[in-house]
């Protein structure tokens, strides 16, 4: 039994092949435009009215929706649902367990994973979105459940629009693989 358990840790396949330079370039362009647009809006439009537009977990989403576009985890349903459900769960956890942040953090991420599984919206950056709702600063906490709509919902919709536009320019790329 012991040998079988540790044998699993060796892995069973090889690393995937390197992607082409064109694939790298399109991934770079998409990520630059998606994150760049949201960041520009955050620092030049919304900062003047003290509104947060960018969330750290968007960087991980950019990797998926611009760099791993065929992954089930990168599809629109997963991107939007995973972030929004996780944001709601994170806010609820923070509100319920704010006096025990360690507990709120664990419950937020674990529950977000379970709900994403149940709703078929698994998107790994959603775990970070839930955690940010708990450990984020006063600006995030003051948003309450609005955090799920703006910045999270609005930000992922912007990233999705850019992913649809950029990922379908080259003939070699197609996004999304599915919607529902």
């Amino acid at each position: 039994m012991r040998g079988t358990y540790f044998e699993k840790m060796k892995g069973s396949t090889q690393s995937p092949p390197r992607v082409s330079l064109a694939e790298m370039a399109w991934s770079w362009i998409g990520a630059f435009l998606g994150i760049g647009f949201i960041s520009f809006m955050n620092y030049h439009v919304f900062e003047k009215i003290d509104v947060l537009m960018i969330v750290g977990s968007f960087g991980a989403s950019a990797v998926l929706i611009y760099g791993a576009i065929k992954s089930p985890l990168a599809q629109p349903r997963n991107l939007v649902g995973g972030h929004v459900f996780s944001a709601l769960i994170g806010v609820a956890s923070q509100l319920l367990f704010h006096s025990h942040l360690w507990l709120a953090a664990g419950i937020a991420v674990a529950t977000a994973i379970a709900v994403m599984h149940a709703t078929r919206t698994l998107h790994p950056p959603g775990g970070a979105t839930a955690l940010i709702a708990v450990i984020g600063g006063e600006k995030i906490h003051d948003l309450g459940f609005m955090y799920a709509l703006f910045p999270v919902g609005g930000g992922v919709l912007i990233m999705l629009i850019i992913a649809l536009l950029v990922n379908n320019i080259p003939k070699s790329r197609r996004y999304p693989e599915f919607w529902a």
Side-chain angles (χ1 to χ4, degrees):
M1 182 77 159
R2 176 177 268 177
T4 305
Y5 177 76
F6 288 108
E7 287 291 317
K8 290 196 251 182
M9 294 179 196
K10 289 182 179 180
S12 60
T13 62
Q14 292 184 346
S15 178
R18 186 180 315 270
V19 299
S20 69
L21 286 176
E23 187 70 16
M24 288 181 212
W26 284 111
S27 296
W28 188 93
I29 290 167
F32 174 77
L33 292 174
I35 297 297
F37 183 78
I38 291 173
S39 295
F40 179 84
M41 296 297 288
N42 185 73
Y43 295 113
H44 294 286
V45 176
F46 292 104
E47 187 173 60
K48 292 176 176 127
I49 56 173
D50 200 33
V51 173
L52 183 69
M53 175 68 186
I54 195 164
V55 179
S57 55
F58 290 173
S61 290
V63 172
L64 288 167
I65 68 171
Y66 306 119
I69 64 174
K70 292 189 180 294
S71 170
L73 306 175
Q75 302 312 304
R77 168 192 185 95
N78 299 68
L79 171 70
V80 177
H83 273 294
V84 172
F85 289 143
S86 296
L88 292 169
I89 290 162
V91 171
S93 297
Q94 193 278 328
L95 291 172
L96 291 169
F97 304 106
H98 62 274
S99 59
H100 302 287
L101 286 181
W102 68 271
L103 181 62
I107 287 174
V109 174
T111 305
I113 292 169
V115 168
M116 286 187 287
H117 271 307
T119 58
R120 299 181 355 221
T121 59
L122 190 65
H123 186 67
T129 298
L131 185 59
I132 290 166
V134 173
I135 66 169
E138 185 178 331
K139 210 172 197 181
I140 289 179
H141 292 160
D142 287 347
L143 290 171
F145 286 104
M146 282 300 296
Y147 169 73
L149 294 177
F150 197 85
V152 173
V156 298
L157 287 178
I158 289 168
M159 290 177 62
L160 174 58
I161 291 166
I162 292 171
L164 291 168
L165 296 173
V166 171
N167 287 335
N168 289 300
I169 292 172
K171 291 181 180 176
S172 61
R173 290 170 67 109
R174 178 187 180 126
Y175 181 82
E177 294 289 311
F178 60 86
W179 281 93

